[in-house]
Amino acid sequence: MSMPGFPASSPGARARGGNPTAALIAIVLFLLAGLTVALGASTANYALFPVAIVLGVIGALVPASLKMANHWERAVVLRLGRLQSVSGPGLFVIVPVIDQVVYWLDQRIQTTEFNAEQALSKDTVPVDVDAVVFWQIHDPERAALEITDYRSAISRVAQTSLREMVGSSLLSTLLSDRKHGDELLREEIGRKTAEWGVTAISVEIRDIGVPDALQDAMSREAQAQREAAARIHLGQAELSVAEKFVEAAEIYARSPSALQLRAMNIIYETTKERGATILIPSAMVDSMNPGGVLGLAQVALGAQAGAQPTATEPAPPVAQPARRSVARAAANAAKRKPR
């Protein structure tokens, strides 16, 4: 049999017919009554029999009159149908037959799970929402007298408030701002349950489920937004690279030697890999002026050896291109020389 306000299925439920302290006192009184009867019979002192009877009656009434509430419990006591007191925690005494404990209330923080299935949001999207409310009894008297079953009432109020909140909110708001929804639910549930002596401490939305088709559409929309953002970032990167290339071109235009050094550096970097084949365009070769370099090298070698080529002797295969390269370099230098 379950007690109102304290279901027998609750982990803290226990028999309320008595308590270990009352049972121990009753046993002691029964033993004293038995010893009194034995002493009266052995001594033929019949005056001890009424004392034994009184001790036995008191021992029988102790379990019914001495109650004990745990530290987190409160007992609602009615005397002849009217509220007598809210007792506990600890030991307290009631008058048997006249007084009756009708409620054992648990004042610890408790939780109630609730949900809203296929609730329509403000933009007519069906969603499934699961939430949990943390609540506590702050007024045991009102919780016992103002409502029949406060546990069931809290569950119904929480579910109704959740549906109202979902119906007045957009789906995007529900998904992006859960904290605001939790606060709205806590205020609404707390406002309704305060009249019963129950305080809604906090509400937490655990999950929001949307239809599969809508999930697919939302996924495609998010993917499209990410692709658009990636394209924008790529364009900005290309713009930055182009600006840097323009600055580099201006620098190379003012200093051709810098361009030659850069070209030679690129060739050096590419020759680091073994077995690499390098194809250099002729325009790049001309810009680096390899003929002039080779011609100068040949002239230097000829001057060092002290040998001059004769008219009958054929010129080295590189000398003629080298002379043309030297001439071309001199002509280019004359053109760039300011007048």
Side-chain angles (χ1 to χ4, degrees):
M1 181 178 179
S2 61
M3 297 296 295
F6 205 118
S9 59
S10 174
R14 58 186 175 87
R16 293 299 180 178
N19 57 77
T21 304
L24 179 60
I25 294 175
I27 292 174
V28 171
L29 290 175
F30 285 139
L31 291 176
L32 290 177
L35 292 176
T36 302
V37 171
L39 181 61
S42 62
T43 59
N45 186 0
Y46 299 103
L48 295 178
F49 290 161
V51 176
I53 294 173
V54 171
L55 291 176
V57 171
I58 295 175
L61 293 177
V62 164
S65 59
L66 187 62
K67 303 293 183 180
M68 182 179 68
N70 293 324
H71 185 74
W72 59 86
E73 294 175 342
R74 299 295 183 272
V76 180
V77 181
L78 297 182
R79 175 168 293 177
L80 298 178
R82 301 176 67 89
L83 179 65
Q84 171 63 22
S85 64
V86 178
S87 303
L91 293 173
F92 62 94
V93 179
I94 63 174
V95 179
V97 182
I98 298 177
D99 293 342
Q100 183 183 6
V101 179
V102 293
Y103 280 100
W104 293 92
L105 301 178
D106 192 335
Q107 284 198 301
R108 293 176 293 184
I109 297 176
Q110 303 181 60
T111 60
T112 297
E113 299 179 358
F114 59 99
N115 60 1
E117 297 181 356
Q118 297 298 315
L120 290 177
S121 62
K122 190 175 181 180
D123 47 354
T124 65
V125 178
V127 295
D128 298 335
V129 184
D130 293 332
V132 59
V133 57
F134 297 82
W135 54 273
Q136 185 180 29
I137 298 175
H138 67 270
D139 190 344
E141 180 178 341
R142 298 178 67 181
L145 303 180
E146 298 292 336
I147 191 168
T148 303
D149 187 356
Y150 59 86
R151 292 178 181 270
S152 177
I154 290 172
S155 178
R156 300 295 185 272
V157 165
Q159 190 174 20
T160 304
S161 301
L162 177 59
R163 286 186 173 273
E164 292 176 355
M165 191 270 291
V166 171
S168 61
S169 303
L170 298 174
L171 177 61
S172 58
T173 304
L174 292 175
L175 295 175
S176 62
D177 195 1
R178 290 193 182 186
K179 295 297 182 181
H180 182 64
D182 295 345
E183 187 63 23
L184 288 179
L185 281 176
R186 187 194 66 79
E187 292 178 358
E188 184 65 18
I189 297 174
R191 182 182 62 82
K192 296 177 180 178
T193 59
E195 301 177 358
W196 315 331
V198 178
T199 300
I201 299 175
S202 66
V203 178
E204 295 183 4
I205 297 177
R206 298 187 300 179
D207 185 29
I208 299 177
V210 297
D212 295 338
L214 183 59
Q215 289 183 10
D216 185 54
M218 294 172 65
S219 176
R220 292 198 303 269
E221 181 183 1
Q223 184 177 0
Q225 291 177 353
R226 290 182 178 275
E227 290 181 357
R231 290 178 181 272
I232 292 174
H233 292 319
L234 181 60
Q236 292 176 351
E238 291 290 342
L239 179 60
S240 300
V241 171
E243 292 176 352
K244 295 299 182 182
F245 280 161
V246 170
E247 295 178 2
E250 293 176 354
I251 295 174
Y252 290 146
R254 292 193 302 265
S255 178
S257 58
L259 179 60
Q260 294 180 3
L261 292 176
R262 177 57 180 163
M264 296 176 65
N265 186 43
I266 292 175
I267 295 175
Y268 171 74
E269 292 293 335
T270 55
T271 56
K272 288 184 177 180
E273 296 293 335
R274 292 184 177 180
T277 302
I278 303 173
L279 300 177
I280 302 177
S282 60
M284 182 178 292
V285 175
D286 294 339
S287 65
M288 290 187 292
N289 198 8
V293 176
L294 293 176
L296 293 176
Q298 290 292 335
V299 170
L301 290 175
Q304 182 178 3
Q308 295 295 335
T310 61
T312 59
E313 293 179 357
V318 186
Q320 189 67 23
R323 292 193 186 94
R324 288 199 298 269
S325 298
V326 172
R328 189 186 301 112
N332 291 335
K335 290 179 181 179
R336 287 196 295 268
K337 184 176 181 181
R339 296 180 180 178

